Amino acid sequence: MGEWGFLRSVFDNLQAHSPMLGRFWLFLMLMFRILILGTVASDLFEDEQLEFTCNTLQPGCKQVCYDKAFPISQYRFWVFHIVLIATPSIVFLLYATHQNKKKALRPKSRRSSIQNYQDDRRLRRLYIINVIFRIIAEVAFLVAQCKLYSFKVPAQYPCDRFPCPYTVDCFTSRPMEKTIFLYFYFGVGVLSAFSSIVELFYSSIKWFCCNQEDFDLEDRACKNLQNFRQDESGKKTI
């Protein structure tokens, strides 16, 4: 479980910079992916190659048949999935932490408030890009899982690859449990992708509304500043 400590701390820190829908996605990642993958699935898949047996003693036949049956292990596939999705979130977290430190060091003035507003806009854009990349990765991995494993782990694999002397039968361990995990992770992936799509629409609409309000406030501030300068110039001429 030690290898998951870094990802857990990253997602805990990312929660402070995420909206409610983003926190729901984090909950799915932590509870239904990382926690289960690091506990139950690790014990289920750690000895899958050792327990993959073929009805032949030909050297090398078992290895090539296992490679044909599992081009990539389901466990490593899901770990790679989590790491790939976590990468843009880590980038966003590092950028947000850097901007928060810069904001804390700025003195309170009109210029610093404008810079803070610009930094907040960049954070919103980066977060939306993060959500878009997450949706693409979720959908891509769902399609890849369907093509690689379908929805069932067969108990028996016929194999005729060299150096097997003939078509041999190979048998995988605990196929029913692995099939259940395939359904489970596919369902979590669908739910995660759906929540990310809803989050994208919600964040985009909220950002658009905030931009409209900020634009109105900036327009009013510019008009007030122009009126103030005109008053000052009129007093000087008098």
Side-chain angles (χ1 to χ4, degrees), residues 14-65:
L14 183 64
Q15 183 177 1
H17 303 281
S18 302
M20 182 59 65
L21 290 171
R23 294 176 184 178
F24 176 73
W25 177 81
L26 290 174
F27 174 78
L28 290 177
M29 286 291 294
L30 290 173
M31 297 300 298
F32 292 98
R33 279 183 170 166
I34 294 179
L35 184 61
I36 293 180
L37 195 64
T39 54
V40 181
S42 60
D43 295 333
L44 177 63
F45 290 94
E46 65 179 356
D47 57 350
E48 60 177 346
Q49 188 170 3
L50 293 176
E51 296 187 5
F52 186 82
T53 57
C54 300
N55 57 357
T56 181
L57 298 178
Q58 179 69 25
C61 181
K62 175 183 175 180
Q63 285 73 18
V64 297
C65 292

Side-chain angles (χ1 to χ4, degrees), residues 64-195:
V64 297
C65 292
Y66 179 82
D67 183 67
K68 179 183 178 182
F70 301 101
I72 179 173
S73 169
Q74 294 101 323
Y75 181 81
R76 296 182 182 90
F77 178 82
W78 291 323
V79 170
F80 179 68
H81 182 196
I82 292 174
V83 172
L84 184 64
I85 293 180
T87 300
S89 300
I90 294 173
V91 174
F92 171 79
L93 175 64
L94 294 176
Y95 182 80
T97 304
H98 176 68
Q99 294 299 323
N100 289 336
K101 289 182 180 179
K102 287 174 61 178
K103 189 183 298 184
L105 295 175
R106 288 173 185 161
K108 293 183 179 180
S109 63
R110 178 177 175 81
R111 183 177 180 182
S112 63
S113 63
I114 295 175
Q115 290 177 344
N116 292 339
Y117 168 73
Q118 293 175 348
D119 291 341
D120 291 338
R121 290 189 65 183
R122 294 192 190 99
L123 280 177
R124 292 172 188 170
R125 291 174 182 173
L126 186 61
Y127 187 80
I128 289 178
I129 293 174
N130 170 37
V131 176
I132 293 174
F133 183 86
R134 185 200 308 165
I135 294 172
I136 295 173
E138 291 281 9
V139 174
F141 272 89
L142 288 175
V143 174
Q145 179 174 330
C146 289
K147 290 190 175 183
L148 285 174
Y149 312 111
S150 184
F151 293 98
K152 183 179 180 181
V153 177
Q156 180 180 355
Y157 286 96
C159 177
D160 57 355
R161 276 189 172 184
F162 178 82
C164 298
Y166 48 85
T167 300
V168 299
D169 292 323
C170 298
F171 305 92
T172 185
S173 63
R174 291 170 286 188
M176 182 57 67
E177 288 186 62
K178 294 176 181 178
T179 300
I180 293 173
F181 264 89
L182 283 178
Y183 277 102
F184 174 78
Y185 267 91
F186 187 84
V188 173
V190 171
L191 182 60
S192 180
F194 177 75
S195 65

